[in-house]
Amino acid sequence: MAFASGRSINSSDNPRSARATRVSSRSDLFPRLVAMQKLADAQNFAVYRMSGSGLPAKQRLICELENWGPSNASLNKAFADAYGDALIEHIEKSLLPLAWAGSHDRSFPSAVGIAPFLVRLQDGLVPFSGMAFPVRLGAIGNGFVVFTGDDLDPPNEMVVELHGRACQVMIDLLSLDERRVAAAEALSEREIACLQLAGDGRISEEIADKLGLSVHTVNAYLGSATIKLDSVNRIQAIAKAIRLGYIS
């Protein structure tokens, strides 16, 4: 395969220059993801983190960044429903990129040269074709950078380049979360326990009975955890605790 027009790797796209600039917010990652999207001749990108810990059955994919837009909001759910379990299972045993053909593009990928370096997912489950690059950085740093489109056909060297850049995106995303968490006081074991039970759907009275605490104490732990996680309410605190890997 030859490089498509506009997909050459030049000095301005060099990932080393991107690493030299420390990202200060998630918005800093968007230009890099858009550049990667152009290299892949893709129409969209999405970054997924894996929440929860332990057995794959207790984990799920959380979309952190994407440019599908409000008009295509259903694509995120469609992708997670179609391939979420397969991606979670895959990252436990392999870091090879994955590829699939959409229902409108069953021939992807066409090059036999790249086949040994890709894991093929079941085709036709979603309308669009795509590639997912797995990144494994630890309990709260695992995830995928995904590119979707109808005519994806990157050459071997481009797949390697994109995978390297995907790793750096995930490293920077994890770094942003770690800096944010480090700025706040760490959650205590009791706060984590109360959040976990609240996330399981238990009300304060049930949590108190389970942990042998008073309802007032449970509410105090949940309140302090909410403040530490910089959340506006208990629901948001639970969602953030899941994303940061405190609870599953």
Side-chain angles (χ1 to χ4, degrees):
M1 286 182 295
F3 283 103
S5 175
R7 290 202 295 171
S8 61
I9 304 172
N10 54 51
S11 58
S12 64
D13 288 328
N14 194 316
R16 285 189 292 271
S17 63
R19 285 195 289 269
T21 304
R22 185 180 181 183
V23 295
S24 59
S25 69
R26 294 185 174 210
S27 61
D28 294 336
L29 297 175
F30 265 80
R32 288 159 54 183
L33 287 162
V34 169
M36 293 166 65
Q37 173 186 311
K38 291 179 180 178
L39 285 176
D41 269 356
Q43 278 76 58
N44 298 102
F45 68 78
V47 179
Y48 288 88
R49 290 269 290 275
M50 294 176 57
S51 70
S53 58
L55 298 175
K58 295 183 178 180
Q59 297 176 326
R60 60 193 181 98
L61 293 179
I62 302 294
C63 187
E64 299 278 359
L65 299 164
E66 50 84 12
N67 68 345
W68 279 321
S71 61
N72 294 314
S74 62
L75 295 181
N76 176 35
K77 185 178 187 306
F79 174 76
D81 289 346
Y83 295 120
D85 291 343
L87 266 62
I88 290 171
E89 181 180 354
H90 175 80
I91 203 171
E92 293 291 325
K93 57 187 178 182
S94 174
L95 290 178
L96 288 176
L98 302 105
W100 69 92
S103 54
H104 304 311
D105 187 25
R106 290 298 188 89
S107 64
F108 173 80
S110 62
V112 295
I114 196 64
F117 307 102
L118 286 176
V119 174
R120 187 69 176 256
L121 296 174
Q122 182 179 349
D123 295 334
L125 298 185
V126 291
F128 46 85
S129 297
M131 298 185 68
F133 295 93
V135 180
R136 193 162 55 204
L137 301 175
I140 61 173
N142 298 335
F144 293 85
V145 178
V146 175
F147 297 98
T148 62
D150 293 330
D151 300 304
L152 297 178
D153 193 19
N156 295 6
E157 56 268 41
M158 184 64 72
V159 171
V160 174
E161 173 72 14
L162 288 169
H163 206 167
R165 295 193 187 198
C167 290
Q168 189 58 45
V169 166
M170 295 297 289
I171 289 171
D172 288 338
L173 185 59
L174 179 61
S175 175
L176 285 173
D177 282 345
E178 287 179 339
R179 292 205 299 271
R180 187 171 64 248
V181 172
E185 186 180 355
L187 296 180
S188 69
E189 292 184 8
R190 285 295 194 185
E191 289 167 337
I192 293 172
C194 289
L195 279 174
Q196 180 67 71
L197 291 170
D200 292 338
R202 307 286 186 90
I203 62 175
S204 295
E205 288 78 6
E206 293 173 321
I207 297 172
D209 183 62
K210 180 76 173 178
L211 299 179
L213 303 171
S214 70
V215 174
H216 174 78
T217 300
V218 168
N219 288 332
Y221 280 132
L222 290 172
S224 60
T226 299
I227 293 172
K228 289 180 181 180
L229 291 170
D230 192 26
S231 300
V232 297
N233 54 42
R234 185 181 302 186
I235 295 175
Q236 188 182 57
I238 291 168
K240 187 171 289 189
I242 291 173
R243 183 162 55 81
L244 295 176
Y246 279 114
I247 62 177
S248 59

